[in-house]
Amino acid sequence: MNDPRLPLPDLGLAPGASVVGVPMPHDSAALHASGEAAYTDDLPEPRGTLYAAVGVSPVAHGRLRSIDLRAVRAMQGVVDVILAADIPGVNDVGPVLHDDPILADGVVHFAGQPVFAVAAESVEAARRAALAATFDIEPLPPILTVEEAMAAQSFVLPPVHVRRGDAAAAFSRAPHRLAGTIASGGQDHFYVEGQVALAIPGEGGGMHVHCSTQHPGEVQLTVAHALGLESHDVVVECRRMGGGFGGKESQMSLFACIAALFARRTGRAVKLRLDRDDDMRSTGKRHAFAHGYDVGYDDEGRLLALDLTLASRCGFSADLSGPVNDRAVFHADNAYWLPDVAIHSYRCRTNTVSDTAFRGFGGPQGMFAIEAVIDEVARALGRDPLDVRKANLYGVADRNVTPYGMTVEDNIAPALIDRLEVTSRYRERRAEIAAWNRASPVLRRGLALTPVKFGISFTATHFNQAGALVHVYRDGTVLLNHGGTEMGQGLFTKVRQVVAQELGIAPDRVRVTATDTSKVPNASATAASSGSDLNGMAARDAARKLRERLAAHAARKAGCDPAAVSFAGGRVESGAASMSFAELARSAYLARVPLSATGFYATPKIHYDAKTLTGRPFFYFAYGAACVEAAIDTLTGEHRLLAVDILHDVGASLNPAIDRGQIEGGFLQGWGWLAMEELVWNGKGELRTHAPSTYKIPTSRDWPARVRIDFWPGENREETIHRSKAVGEPPLMLALAGFHALRDAVSSLSDYRFAAKLDAPATDERILRAVEDMRRRARDAA
């Protein structure tokens, strides 16, 4: 949303120049800087607003025999208290399976699970009251880890197996074979703005919900079901989020439902905002995985046979674990040809909070596994890991079909890696670092170059659709609404540029309004890196309809062919006639030309069999590679990023400034997952890392001193919006190069003879243990 007091800076554009592909600032940048950008908690509250809080289970697993709420109700300021029995509709917010209650009923499944909720006259009163309940819970044995779940065969969904060729036969022919395990941890979303909803009751039983959500349509549906209403009775609105990263795709629904339930019961507006501790205890994380592998390979390091196990901690309910784990399977190849392969995916039920969507949506965990396999093979052969990676890359004309049957038609990975190898001076630096390490007894440096191949589209095919609504007013200004949500990633800015380009006007003539289920219905979540692809195309469709109507009107006035009418620089040329866009808009209004249009887009070519996990689930792939140098202290395990070189494929960028920001942010968030952010539960199933005092995310101090980011010079071969490519999720996986740089530094202690035994996150403690293990192995081999 632009503000006339905060004009866009002068970008030096020539009159009529394209506004797509220009590094325009984020449409709310000035509002963010001035503090005027309104988030859900900043919205004016109606008179009499109540404040809600949630009472949660103190244990990880047990039968809820009773709960004494007398002290809760007696607390000063308390207006209402609800339990599962007080929900008039459906007590469920499961986005796929109906296994995720709003409030626990009968059995509690994790420490921090909502059991009751309180509405009070103040935030403090509600939160104090939520702590006053007395629970009578019969303890049941909890399952807390992937290993425990696998032993108990405890799954939220049936296991999935994908096979190509005959891995068993290929093992018998392989000259070399090795097996091992490695683990990747979970990750908290740690968005700046926590979960928050403001529910306002309307006339006739309607409900208006403002909330911080990536999926307003899902919140609309779950609120309607909880209240026993129809979808048209509920409107959900979101102007912006203070970060989402997947944590507000399904998780927001529960809290919006609680606010709406109280609003329905009391007839007053109700706000529910979690504090950071409660947010971290009660909302899902990135799935932690235990990876097991058995690999056969030749003397060059080419993988001949692979048996790969991916077992994830899903929590107590399915949530989005099905598609997350499917995508992990789809990305277990990363950029590599796996001729004979068997992939086994186990979706483990544990008595922890249900894990959910997180940037990359399972893709990072799948890539993590195969990159570890490649590194192990390289160390076993005494070869440079980059050479082994290059030997296994997908081909262009052959060796180009994924294990799930999709042909890789757009493979630029080999050329992209070759270019980065040169521009990053990989070979020269590798020799320099090896020499430096030999003279350094305490500090060790490591270097790694890893690729990314990330599929773009929702794997649930029906989500690959979008709608938009565009109005042209008599003064020539434009109002745009679409189903995508803005969480800081710049989606609104890009789509505004698309509409401005289509109508030949300046972007500041286009205002983007809050995502609203009453304006664009049935919108998919803003996720899967598809926001610009889907909503940009839908908005362009609507703008083109308006341009065609306006061109036809201008042609009638000028007596020329509509094809001769052009729109650029805020002016419309039709034969010898010329007028401003505003003049044409007023003329069209007077001539009763409709100046509002809807647009729609459905991604073509994709198809996918969910039962066999085969087909073409992705429209295209986004590629990238990173060369990362890191250092470790062998006495303390401390580590630091030293230098990062990135070459990333964004297609024909819609906005280079925003795309660069996404690459920077994605890389650093990936580094946090792989090297810093550790989730710790105790033996009772209580999360101990539930605040910034115990859970450490990267900060500006973790950004390396030297960073070079270049865009791959090419457009998307598929017909996407202006031939651009998605950029939200793929950069996160570039941080795998940083993780392998740490492994490389540890490996240097054995003169690179052995692969480091290092799980993620590579905390200081884990690195120190890996250093000690490497020194022991080096001594034993001497």
Side-chain angles (χ1 to χ4, degrees):
M1 185 188 305
N2 57 295
D3 188 318
R5 296 170 300 164
L6 301 166
L8 290 171
D10 182 6
L11 297 173
L13 297 178
S18 174
V19 296
V20 166
V22 174
M24 298 186 64
H26 191 286
D27 74 325
S28 295
L31 299 175
H32 290 153
S34 67
E36 295 176 81
Y39 296 87
T40 299
D41 200 33
D42 300 319
L43 299 177
E45 298 170 358
R47 186 176 358 179
T49 294
L50 296 174
Y51 305 91
V54 179
V56 302
S57 169
V59 302
H61 195 201
R63 289 189 181 89
L64 184 60
R65 290 189 289 223
S66 68
I67 177 170
D68 186 346
L69 296 172
R70 286 175 295 180
V72 176
R73 298 182 191 278
M75 295 283 284
Q76 184 175 0
V78 170
V79 174
D80 196 10
V81 181
I82 59 172
L83 292 160
D86 298 311
I87 297 173
V90 180
N91 181 23
D92 179 75
V93 290
V96 179
L97 300 183
H98 300 301
D99 63 348
D100 205 339
I102 300 168
L103 298 172
D105 188 10
V107 178
V108 292
H109 295 283
F110 72 94
Q113 182 178 8
V115 178
F116 70 95
V118 184
E121 298 288 354
S122 71
V123 173
E124 183 178 0
R127 290 179 177 174
R128 287 183 181 277
L131 299 174
T134 301
F135 293 93
D136 181 7
I137 298 174
E138 176 189 348
L140 295 172
I143 295 174
L144 301 176
T145 67
V146 169
E147 292 75 18
E148 290 173 359
M150 289 293 288
Q153 293 290 283
S154 173
F155 305 121
V156 296
L157 292 163
V160 169
H161 306 277
V162 173
R163 295 179 174 87
R164 179 177 46 201
D166 187 342
F171 275 120
S172 67
R173 300 189 300 268
H176 307 282
R177 184 171 181 175
L178 62 82
T181 61
I182 190 168
S184 58
Q187 185 179 21
D188 190 84
H189 302 86
F190 217 91
Y191 24 63
V192 175
E193 176 202 33
Q195 303 282 354
V196 56
L198 172 64
I200 304 172
E203 63 183 26
M207 188 67 61
H208 195 120
V209 181
H210 296 271
C211 64
S212 184
T213 176
Q214 294 173 237
H215 199 176
E218 181 74 13
V219 174
Q220 177 191 35
L221 194 65
T222 54
V223 167
H225 287 173
L227 297 179
L229 300 176
E230 305 291 345
S231 291
H232 68 189
D233 298 317
V234 178
V235 173
V236 177
E237 184 176 341
C238 176
R239 171 56 185 90
R240 61 173 60 84
M241 287 167 274
F245 312 116
K248 297 173 181 176
E249 185 171 343
S250 64
Q251 299 288 289
M252 184 64 243
S253 295
L254 185 150
F255 306 107
C257 285
I258 290 173
L261 285 163
F262 277 128
R264 176 79 175 274
R265 287 165 62 89
T266 64
R268 296 164 68 175
V270 176
K271 179 187 285 186
L272 172 55
R273 175 175 54 81
L274 298 185
D275 73 6
R276 180 63 61 182
D277 297 88
D278 292 336
D279 196 307
M280 293 186 72
R281 289 191 189 101
S282 298
T283 64
K285 323 294 180 194
R286 182 187 297 282
H287 291 67
F289 272 65
H291 314 267
Y293 57 87
D294 189 357
V295 60
Y297 53 96
D298 67 14
D299 293 341
E300 302 300 314
R302 283 185 287 264
L303 306 190
L304 305 178
L306 177 64
D307 191 278
L308 183 65
T309 296
L310 307 173
S312 72
R313 182 192 63 214
C314 297
F316 84 96
S317 68
D319 194 76
L320 294 170
S321 291
V324 166
N325 282 268
D326 288 350
R327 188 173 277 266
V329 171
F330 290 145
H331 288 80
D333 60 342
N334 193 6
Y336 308 116
W337 162 249
L338 305 176
D340 290 276
V341 60
I343 304 171
H344 316 284
S345 173
Y346 297 94
R347 297 95 194 271
C348 297
R349 185 191 302 276
T350 54
N351 293 113
T352 54
V353 63
S354 291
D355 286 324
T356 190
F358 200 127
R359 195 177 195 170
F361 204 79
Q365 294 95 316
M367 292 185 191
F368 179 88
I370 193 63
E371 292 299 338
V373 170
I374 293 282
D375 191 63
E376 291 281 351
V377 168
R379 304 300 179 186
L381 291 172
R383 299 180 66 86
D384 188 320
L386 179 58
D387 291 333
V388 176
R389 289 187 166 94
K390 292 172 72 172
N392 283 284
L393 290 173
Y394 277 111
V396 175
D398 59 1
R399 293 165 37 99
N400 62 349
V401 179
T402 68
Y404 49 91
M406 179 174 171
T407 300
V408 181
E409 300 172 341
D410 57 357
N411 187 11
I412 61 171
L416 187 150
I417 291 169
D418 285 346
R419 177 174 295 193
L420 182 62
E421 182 182 344
V422 173
T423 59
S424 67
R425 296 182 58 253
Y426 174 84
R427 301 291 176 181
E428 298 90 334
R429 289 166 65 194
R430 189 152 193 83
E432 292 164 3
I433 289 170
W436 189 90
N437 283 337
R438 285 192 290 270
S440 178
V442 175
L443 300 181
R444 290 297 177 112
R445 290 154 60 192
L447 187 72
L449 194 159
T450 61
V452 168
K453 175 183 69 68
F454 190 80
I456 304 299
S457 289
F458 286 97
T459 52
T461 305
H462 65 279
F463 283 147
N464 294 287
Q465 59 174 301
L469 176 64
V470 178
H471 302 317
V472 175
Y473 294 100
R474 282 178 282 177
D475 63 355
T477 58
V478 174
L479 195 69
L480 163 64
N481 190 273
H482 57 78
T485 55
E486 176 61 52
M487 61 196 92
Q489 84 280 36
L491 173 63
F492 279 23
T493 305
K494 287 185 173 182
V495 179
R496 180 172 70 162
Q497 287 176 264
V498 167
V499 170
Q501 176 73 17
E502 207 63 34
L503 298 176
I505 57 179
D508 61 7
R509 302 290 285 172
V510 181
R511 180 180 286 265
V512 188
T513 58
T515 310
D516 187 329
T517 58
S518 67
K519 293 190 171 105
V520 175
N522 310 317
S524 298
T526 304
S529 299
S530 62
S532 296
D533 283 3
L534 295 175
N535 296 287
M537 290 292 266
R540 185 172 74 171
D541 181 50
R544 279 187 171 175
K545 290 175 182 177
L546 290 166
R547 189 184 67 186
E548 289 168 2
R549 293 176 198 166
L550 289 167
H553 172 66
R556 284 193 297 269
K557 288 175 61 70
C560 68
D561 190 291
V565 179
S566 63
F567 295 74
R571 298 200 62 79
V572 182
E573 310 294 333
S574 46
S578 176
M579 67 180 74
S580 69
F581 184 82
E583 291 169 332
L584 178 61
R586 176 166 177 76
S587 174
Y589 163 75
L590 294 173
R592 297 185 296 178
V593 175
L595 295 179
S596 179
T598 59
F600 183 78
Y601 175 73
T603 307
K605 297 186 178 182
I606 53 176
H607 56 87
Y608 160 57
D609 186 332
K611 293 181 180 178
T612 62
L613 261 69
T614 57
R616 179 178 176 161
F618 307 121
F619 189 25
Y620 62 89
F621 293 102
Y623 296 86
C627 180
V628 177
E629 183 179 343
I632 64 169
D633 185 324
T634 61
L635 298 181
T636 66
E638 292 174 283
H639 56 72
R640 179 174 297 177
L641 285 173
L642 299 179
V644 175
D645 292 85
I646 290 172
L647 180 56
H648 198 70
D649 167 34
V650 298
S653 175
L654 292 173
N655 186 315
I658 284 175
D659 287 349
R660 184 173 297 274
Q662 286 292 291
I663 293 168
E664 293 172 348
F667 175 86
L668 197 60
Q669 190 170 52
W671 177 248
W673 166 54
L674 292 166
M676 298 179 65
E677 300 178 42
E678 185 175 27
L679 293 164
V680 178
W681 280 266
N682 65 16
K684 298 178 181 179
E686 300 167 330
L687 180 66
R688 307 308 297 161
T689 50
H690 51 76
S693 58
T694 52
Y695 185 82
K696 299 301 183 182
I697 67 171
T699 69
S700 58
R701 293 188 63 180
D702 299 294
W703 191 246
R706 188 186 69 76
V707 178
R708 175 179 175 177
I709 297 174
D710 295 317
F711 294 166
W712 176 256
E715 63 179 26
N716 197 336
R717 61 173 281 148
E718 300 295 348
E719 194 175 342
T720 54
I721 187 67
H722 291 283
R723 300 284 180 172
S724 63
K725 283 193 175 185
V727 73
E729 291 172 298
L732 183 136
M733 284 141 278
L734 296 169
L736 286 165
F739 179 75
H740 283 279
L742 294 176
R743 285 171 61 102
D744 188 59
V746 175
S747 182
S748 74
L749 294 165
S750 66
D751 200 22
Y752 305 101
R753 288 176 293 168
F754 304 118
K757 295 187 180 301
L758 184 64
D759 293 332
T763 58
D764 297 355
E765 296 86 351
R766 285 199 175 106
I767 289 177
L768 190 57
R769 286 196 294 268
V771 165
E772 293 169 350
D773 176 74
M774 187 63 66
R775 284 180 167 152
R776 177 189 59 77
R777 292 159 71 192
R779 285 194 305 268
D780 292 347

